[in-house]
Amino acid sequence: MIDYERVISRRAREIKPSGIRRFFDIAGTMEGVISLGVGEPDFRTPYRVRKAGIRSLELANTRYTANRGLESLRREIASYNKRRYKIDYDPASEVLVTVGGSEAIDIVLRAIINPGDEVIIPTPSYVCYEPMTSLAGGAAVSVNTRLEDGFKLTAEQLRAAISERTKALILPYPSNPTGAILDLADIEAIRDVLSGTDIIVIADEIYAELTFGREHISVASIPDMRERTVVVSGFSKAFSMTGWRLGYALGPEPLIREITKIHQYAIMCAPTTSQHAAIEALRSCDGDVLEMVREYDMRRRLMVKGFNDLGLECLEPRGAFYAFPSIKSTGLTSEEFCERLLYSKKVALVPGVAFGESGEGYVRASYCYSLMHIKEALRRIREFLSEL
Amino acid sequence: MNKDLLKLLESSARMSCEDMACALGTSRDEVERELGELERSGVIRGYKAIIDGDAIDGEAVSAIIELKVTPKAGLGFEDVAERIASYPYVESVSLMSGVCDLLVTVRGKSFKEVCTFVAEELAVIDGVTSTATQFIMKKYKEYGVPLFGDADDGRGRISL
Ligand SMILES: Cc1ncc(COP(=O)(O)O)c(C=O)c1O
């Protein structure tokens, strides 16, 4: 009989299983649950985008594309990013179309990490950076961002985390789960710390379109940052296209060239139908995105006020679609809070600890849900708190 | 604010003024003032639930009736349209371009009731020259809301 324990690679084995797997399993199977737990939009992919996908199938555009992605899509990506975020990339050599932002994060890390290289990851943050770093042979160095700092990485924290082995810094803003975004001064302060080093910044800007009150500022748009930055973005969040599995990486040619090599062998090319649909998304969906942002904004206001009224301190999220209220006043751990809430009131939230140790004491609530749904969830949470 | 408020009402008319104010980033007083004005001026004519009639009353039937009408001097179609609109069976009346003049939707307890209404009330109205009645067999969408499928949108409970 095969001893699978011995078959599995050390690196795969060492990936920490999410500590809250059990909680997820319960939440997934319980009847009558109302959830604020998902990280994907409730909106449908805009009609025109779906139509463009269907049209491409009717025309039998079902072959592999160029490894880097359709040339027409790369051109569209370049002009979209120039128009919206004032960053300029050559579609021929500095744009790579990937299977979601997820693949981009993976292969950027694999393209730059040597064994033992360190990658600085501000937390609480999206869950893939650390395991992907480890799989690439690197060491994740997490930096605990704080509520007092608006969950933003500060220059001092960054300076303290840098060692001679630091290869890269992840800048995951707008942030899942905290909703933090970086202001110009924040990015400039980070730039000043990095100045003179060879540290590469992986800017996960997948929520770029979803900011409130002001436009997103791309890390790569700041002078001197472009040369060290790979921007990761995609279609999942802004265009409500999670299942299409499409994203991209933008960066200096010498980096994109090597990243593309990995993509070529691992993936060949991103899904062709999705690429055709994505062209339409970039060309004609500004209005749809604006509508979605407006709707998210209403939900955001309702949810943030809701939590604060309940006595669960909640910073105003300025991007993405999550609120990250503190539950410290209850004296429960985030996992206890979520599990008890789930059992007694059937509301599913995500324990903050799922996003790193610094997420302890918080819970993530997504507002990818209708206003009435959010209202009902808040009502149940109020009941839950009154019975504690 | 006016347009945003109307949009919000179209999707969530049951929200309290306070919640609407919060969602719109304004004050409750402001929402109440706007609502009052929209109601007084007739922009908002009422608030109602979107009910799937088939789900509660399987026997009821609806029909769409195309009417040809001879317009009256000085009144055009107004007089006839308003008369038809006054029947409780009638759910909507619209003036149309194209082959028919008025399009009327009617809801009754039974097939027979609707037939009787058309034959004995609508068809004999002065100025109505013909009726063409089409019964609705099944409704799939009402007021922009699909009446099929379940509420589950295919997303799981939790994803990071
Ligand atoms: C911060 C962040 N980056 C990347 C991703 C991956 O998105 P995708 O692979 O669908 O583009 C997610 C998804 O939740 C995310 O929250």
Side-chain angles (χ1 to χ4, degrees), chain A residues 39 100-102 105 126 129 176 204 206-207 236-237 245 322, chain B residues 160:
Chain A
S102 302
I105 294 162
Y126 183 54
Y129 311 123
N176 168 14
D204 182 350
I206 197 148
Y207 293 99
S236 290
K237 317 290 177 175
R245 308 309 305 126
Y322 311 99
Chain B
L160 299 171

Side-chain angles (χ1 to χ4, degrees), chain A residues 79-383:
Chain A
S79 67
Y80 176 87
N81 277 282
K82 189 169 173 181
R83 169 164 69 80
R84 286 200 70 143
Y85 305 116
K86 305 180 192 73
I87 50 179
D88 205 350
Y89 289 94
D90 173 15
S93 61
E94 298 182 314
V95 178
L96 172 65
V97 180
T98 58
V99 181
S102 302
E103 189 218 345
I105 294 162
D106 176 22
I107 61 179
V108 173
L109 287 167
R110 283 200 268 166
I112 60 177
I113 289 176
N114 283 318
D117 283 354
E118 293 177 353
V119 176
I120 299 174
I121 304 171
T123 63
S125 60
Y126 183 54
V127 291
C128 83
Y129 311 123
E130 189 178 327
M132 288 301 131
T133 297
S134 309
L135 270 181
V141 175
S142 66
V143 176
N144 301 337
T145 63
R146 297 172 297 233
L147 179 83
E148 310 85 270
D149 299 322
F151 293 112
K152 298 193 253 196
L153 175 71
T154 66
E156 298 73 58
Q157 286 181 313
L158 175 59
R159 206 173 288 119
I162 291 175
S163 78
E164 64 274 22
R165 314 192 72 171
T166 304
K167 176 56 80 62
L169 162 67
I170 310 252
L171 280 181
Y173 300 96
S175 162
N176 168 14
T178 67
I181 65 176
L182 295 181
D183 293 312
L184 184 59
D186 302 319
I187 307 174
E188 284 173 346
I190 288 168
R191 174 199 55 195
D192 293 346
V193 175
L194 297 179
S195 166
T197 72
D198 284 344
I199 296 171
I200 296 297
V201 170
I202 302 171
D204 182 350
E205 302 186 0
I206 197 148
Y207 293 99
E209 288 83 352
L210 310 183
T211 60
F212 310 100
R214 77 147 171 72
E215 288 292 314
H216 169 72
I217 302 172
S218 175
V219 168
S221 70
I222 306 305
D224 302 334
M225 284 302 272
R226 186 187 188 281
E227 62 165 2
R228 68 170 75 252
T229 301
V230 177
V231 176
V232 169
S233 192
F235 297 85
S236 290
K237 317 290 177 175
F239 299 99
S240 223
M241 290 178 69
T242 43
W244 297 78
R245 308 309 305 126
L246 208 67
Y248 52 87
L250 309 170
E253 188 273 336
L255 285 175
I256 293 294
R257 186 179 54 216
E258 296 305 309
I259 297 164
T260 303
K261 235 163 51 187
I262 303 176
H263 172 78
Q264 170 184 343
Y265 292 119
I267 301 287
M268 188 82 98
C269 69
T272 303
T273 311
S274 305
Q275 293 193 50
H276 284 284
I279 293 173
E280 188 64 28
L282 296 174
R283 269 190 195 152
S284 68
C285 291
D286 280 10
D288 300 76
V289 174
L290 195 67
E291 271 304 299
M292 292 191 263
V293 170
R294 273 211 196 108
E295 179 69 31
Y296 285 132
D297 199 9
M298 291 201 282
R299 301 166 174 189
R300 179 183 74 107
R301 290 201 198 97
L302 193 74
M303 184 178 268
V304 171
K305 178 163 186 299
F307 280 122
N308 281 316
D309 287 351
L310 292 177
L312 303 180
E313 185 189 0
C314 183
L315 220 60
E316 185 191 348
R318 296 167 69 201
F321 37 55
Y322 311 99
F324 202 58
S326 164
I327 49 125
K328 286 176 184 162
S329 59
T330 65
L332 301 173
T333 67
S334 62
E335 203 176 346
E336 283 166 352
F337 183 95
C338 290
E339 202 168 313
R340 285 171 61 173
L341 176 64
L342 180 64
Y343 275 118
S344 67
K345 298 294 167 193
K346 301 199 168 178
V347 177
L349 299 176
V350 182
V353 75
F355 304 95
E357 269 162 44
S358 53
E360 186 50 87
Y362 301 88
V363 292
R364 191 194 76 176
S366 148
Y367 45 90
C368 294
Y369 295 92
S370 72
L371 290 161
M372 297 311 273
H373 184 105
I374 291 168
K375 229 15 230 177
E376 170 61 14
L378 286 168
R379 192 189 63 73
R380 294 193 194 187
I381 296 170
R382 175 184 296 281
E383 272 183 18

Side-chain angles (χ1 to χ4, degrees), chain A residues 27 35 40 291 301 375, chain B residues 7 19 23 155 157 159-160:
Chain A
S35 175
E40 67 176 311
E291 271 304 299
R301 290 201 198 97
K375 229 15 230 177
Chain B
K7 243 182 126 162
D19 288 342
R155 296 183 298 166
R157 293 271 172 68
S159 66
L160 299 171

